[in-house]
Amino acid sequence: MTETFLQAVSTLQNAKGVRIIHEDIKMEKLTMHTPEFLGIPAGVWPTLGGAEFSGEGVVIGFIDTGINPEHPSFASHSFRGNQSISKFKGKCTTGNRFPSTACNSKIVGAQYFARAAIAYGDFNSTRDYASPFDADGHGSHTASTAAGNHRVPVIAVEDGVDIISLSVGPSAVPSGPAAFLNALEMELLFATKAGVLVVQAAGNSGPSSSSILSFSPWITSIAASITDRKYNNTIKLANGHSFSGIGLAPPTLGRVYYPLAAAADVCHRNVSTGIFSLESCQYPELFIPALVRGKLIICTYSFDFENDDATIATVADNIKKIGAAGFILRMDPDQDFSPNKFKDMALDVPGIILNNMQSSMDLLEYYNSHTIKSRAGQAVVFRARARILDGRRAIYHGQAPVVASYSSRGPDVNNALLQTADVLKPNIMAPGSSIWAAWSPSSEGDPNLKGRNFALLSGTSMATPHIAGVAALIKQRHPKWSPAAITSAMMTSAEVTDHSGSPILAQDYSDSPILEHVLVHATPFDFGAGFINPARAIDPGLIFNAHFQEYVQFLCAVPGVDDDYVRRVTGYGCPTENQGWCSDLNTPSITVSNLVGSRKVIRRVRNVSSANETYTVTVKEPSGVKVSVSPQVFKIRGLASRELKIVLKATNSTRAYSFGAMVLQGNNNHIIRIPIAVYVSTSL
């Protein structure tokens, strides 16, 4: 930092009317079968009047790259009462490709915020729109996942929104005394104070430990899972062998086996373009028409694809232009790059992307052994043959959900020094892999998706609107519930077993030189309380509530944060009595990042049913920790509250996190599960 900059900061800090200064950080994108996968059509929609009326009257505010009002997912359908319009106070900002008619009973308002991007030099007038129109596609995708019209083929708080969905987040842990005190977290705290639920993508930096990028306990942080649906592509060779790959592409015509040709063998050799440019199939003018027509062209995945100098969309376009039968994109054994990030790529021409090195090498060996070349090295006879099967057919399997490898992991951190916090993150998991939703056809965000109305994407950005959508259903059923109550309902009713009844697993990376996925047992630092169960979340039995003043008390207990700082960022001071621990916050989880000896934790539950219910408490203790709960059996009247005292006593210094759970089993079939995560420093 320059001396001039530091002087300016010092001057501003002492200026009248300036409470605090925060570094402006750039937000990044943390980029239908899922209703059935979540059990919503049978378990939730019937209780809310059907699919067309579910979520009606609840407003979700999306902070994202914009929205495409021309997409059928956001078409206005008549609905009873126009409740959301009557209570919504926001405005509809018009502009380029966003006329006044863009706002309707589905898109009730829209604004765009570009001043920071303009000041930073990131606003490109040839690419970006000075309007709420989505020039990227990401915003349309996330919005249609949560609030899009069902069955279409495949700031905000003052405006009166009920839920804020944030599929964006910081690229790193913010600077300052605590991650919870940065400008974004504080704005979201005040949104919570106003009764607005905030759901945010956990981040896509998994499976590394403490890669979470959504920090505060007043924010519901979303992990991503893969579902039971996957797409697989296959190429069959004339010798009977076949290889699996990726790419949602149509098959080659008929059951005919087509000649194979390596790109470098059917291109002009007397050009200055390097061999990598030939093999990447990016330049149609380099191909020899007579040699490529009717053949399957073997292209090579190189570093150019990694840095977007080459695109698979260009490969597909060129194959169409030159009249080839299709293409195979193989991995290069001399370059350790995997094309797995294109597993959701939809193609208009027959094609397959080989994402396995051995398959790529075997294909090339088969090709070379069946291709005759002249003494000059020119291929003259192409005897290798293959056909590509249909890669657009979904395959369903029972082992799901599984935590996606990219989904950011806990433990949560207090600050940029990565000191762990007494907060469970992520909070809950939802489908985030291979999600079909609306896209902006003029998208500049991904050249591989330009011109498409729907896109198949993966990321915690895709998981987040699923939770926003479920929260809207809960809000519709229980309009007076606080944000913490809604989060509690989703967390305590979440599933920790997959659809086969086995414990949920998580994708991790093996130790091999080529990163390959392995499955390990998931923990609360992978999926939070578990996988969302919408039907149970609508009727949770008990909830754990928390309000603004309790969040302020939480901030007062954060190590390294003093009363003066809390007062400056929140406007409220710390209580004069003992400030306690961060783990005292009344959350539907218990996390202790540094257990020394023992710690008492109090949790207050409220019966949200009008019926009396008797609960029995059972505990699965974390390794090295004895957990006692009082009372172990209790009766709670309808709409009444009850206090539970939990004592965690260290029995063995594990010097690592261990996990357990407290389960409250009600005689009216309510089951409330509270995850426990403890790091035992010493048993003394």
Side-chain angles (χ1 to χ4, degrees), residues 233 235 243-246 301 328-331 339 352-357 359-361 363:
N233 205 343
I235 180 172
F243 305 122
S244 294
I246 55 178
Y301 187 84
I328 304 106
L329 188 64
R330 70 175 183 93
M331 295 176 65
I352 185 171
I353 304 165
L354 297 180
N355 57 342
N356 178 277
M357 186 63 79
S359 298
S360 297
M361 295 171 65
L363 173 71

Side-chain angles (χ1 to χ4, degrees), residues 515-571:
L515 295 177
E516 294 181 325
H517 289 151
V518 295
L519 294 178
V520 299
H521 284 289
T523 75
F525 289 164
D526 300 320
F527 58 35
F531 186 76
I532 185 71
N533 183 326
R536 287 185 56 205
I538 289 283
D539 178 26
L542 303 177
I543 56 104
F544 296 74
N545 220 340
H547 299 284
F548 178 77
Q549 195 57 47
E550 292 165 286
Y551 292 130
V552 173
Q553 291 176 4
F554 163 85
L555 292 173
C556 295
V558 174
V561 176
D562 58 30
D563 177 272
D564 180 61
Y565 201 93
V566 172
R567 185 181 298 276
R568 278 189 286 145
V569 296
T570 68

